[in-house]
Amino acid sequence: MNLWPLLRRVLHRVEPERAHDLAMRGLGLVPRLLDPNTLGGARTVMGLEFPNPIGLAAGFDKSGDHFLTLAKLGFGFIEVGTITPRPQPGSPPPRLFRIPEHNALINRMGFNNAGAAHAARRLARRGDWPGVLGINIGRNRDTPADAALGDYLQCMETLYGLADYFTINISSPNTPGLRDLQQPELIGEFLDQIGAANEKLAARHAERMRLVLKVAPELAQDQIEAIAAAVAAAGFDGLIAANTTVVRSAELTACDFGGQPGGVSGAPLTAAAEQAARNWRAALPSSVALIGCGGIGCGEDARARIDAGADLIQLYTGLIYAGPALVAQAAAAITA
C-alpha cells in the first residue's frame, strides 16, 4: 500500500520546516526501507564506487545530523550541508515556501547549519553504510566576499577524511555576493587554490577527497566554457549542474508565495537544468564527472538527465511531492 499521498496531505498542512523535522523524526523510527545495493546501476564515478546512481542533494541534512536516517531510503550517495566554518542561523523565518501548483519550492534558507566542528563530530559515525558521502561547503554570510577562500579552506581542514568528496558551493542565490565567484576573471585562481589545498591535505591524510563544483543554472555559454576550463585545470573531479534558479515565470510568480525572494527548485527548473547538463557535458572533459540536479520529479526526468550527459543524479524537491518511492523509480528508469 502506498501511504505517501496520505502522509503528504498531513505534512503539507504543516509549515515546511516543521514538516521536515517531523519527517526526519518519523523516518528515524522505521527500519531501512531500501538497500542501495538492490536498486541496480552500480558504477564507478570519480574513482568512487556508487551502489546506485541516485543521490540526495545538499539541503536536506544541513548539519550532518540525519544522513544515516536518510540512507534508509536507498540512496547511492548523500550530500550533507551546506556546512560553513562557524554556526549560523540562516535567514529569518519564514524562509521555505511550497508552490504545489507547480511542484516547486522557494527557499532563502541562507546556509543555516551548526558549523564545521559540529559536522565533524556527526560525520565520524558513518558506520557501515555502503553509499558515497559528500560534504557541501560554503562561506559564512558575514565573511567578506574577498575573504571567501579562507572559509572554504577552513571547512576542508576541519572535515577532511570524513567523507568521500567535497562540493564547493559558489552558486546559492541566498548568500550575498557568493555567485560572483563564478565570474570568469575570478574562478580560475579560486579553484586553483582549492585544488592545491586539497592535494596538501591528501598528502597529510594519506587519502584524497574528491572535489566537485556546484554551479548556477543561468550561466551563459562563455561562462560555462571558462568555468569548465578552470575546473579541469584545477584538478576537480566533478561538477553539479545545477543549484536553484532565480528565474521564474509569470505563472509561478502569480501563485501564493510565488513572489517570495529566494531560489526556485522543482518542476520549474526541469527544462533549464536538463539543458544545463547538455551544455556542461559538451564543455567538460570526459575525465570530469557530471552530476545532474534540479527539477527531477519522476523516473522519466531521471532518465532524461542521464541521456543529457549526467553520470549521476541528485534529488531534493521531487521527494517533497513524489515521496520516497522516487528513489526506486529513478533508479529503475535509469537502469531500464
Side-chain angles (χ1 to χ4, degrees), residues 63-317:
S63 298
D65 292 323
H66 304 295
F67 71 98
L68 290 177
T69 295
L70 290 159
K72 296 178 180 181
L73 300 180
F75 292 106
F77 66 112
I78 290 174
E79 190 171 305
V80 304
T82 297
I83 307 294
T84 55
R86 290 171 282 109
Q88 63 181 25
S91 306
R95 55 195 179 179
L96 180 62
F97 307 90
R98 301 186 195 96
I99 316 290
E101 304 95 314
H102 293 273
N103 282 1
L105 296 175
I106 294 176
N107 94 81
R108 53 172 182 269
M109 303 298 288
F111 288 174
N112 55 306
N113 75 105
H118 171 93
R121 292 190 296 270
R122 303 299 285 177
L123 298 179
R125 58 181 179 84
R126 183 172 175 177
D128 59 357
W129 175 57
V132 170
L133 182 62
I135 307 174
N136 186 301
I137 59 175
R139 73 165 171 88
N140 280 110
R141 186 182 183 91
D142 59 358
T143 297
D146 60 3
L149 176 65
D151 276 14
Y152 291 93
L153 298 183
Q154 185 177 340
C155 282
M156 291 171 67
E157 286 271 357
T158 304
L159 297 166
Y160 211 86
L162 295 172
D164 300 296
Y165 70 88
F166 282 122
T167 291
I168 309 302
N169 187 349
I170 58 171
S171 53
S172 169
N174 301 316
T175 297
L178 188 70
R179 287 189 169 191
D180 292 345
L181 288 169
Q182 297 176 126
Q183 296 176 9
E185 62 270 23
L186 299 177
I187 191 69
E189 182 179 357
F190 175 77
L191 296 187
D192 283 347
Q193 292 186 72
I194 295 286
N198 195 54
E199 296 309 314
K200 290 180 181 178
L201 286 164
R204 186 191 309 169
H205 289 263
E207 63 176 317
R208 181 181 178 275
M209 287 185 64
R210 277 56 170 184
L211 292 178
V212 176
L213 182 69
K214 189 167 187 175
V215 296
E218 304 94 352
L219 297 173
Q221 190 60 33
D222 61 334
Q223 292 175 292
I224 289 174
E225 291 173 1
I227 294 172
V231 162
F236 271 56
D237 304 276
L239 181 138
I240 299 173
N243 213 318
T244 58
T245 182
V246 295
V247 176
R248 61 190 72 183
S249 67
E251 291 80 8
L252 182 70
T253 304
C255 296
D256 288 345
F257 306 120
Q260 288 286 342
V264 178
S265 62
L269 183 55
T270 303
E274 186 178 319
Q275 185 58 53
R278 291 193 185 93
N279 295 342
W280 281 106
R281 188 66 280 167
L284 290 166
S286 59
S287 59
V288 177
L290 180 64
I291 302 172
C293 183
I296 299 174
C298 62
E300 290 79 4
D301 293 337
R303 178 71 253 179
R305 205 63 53 92
I306 296 295
D307 291 343
D311 299 288
L312 306 163
I313 67 161
Q314 288 181 323
L315 308 176
Y316 188 108
T317 302

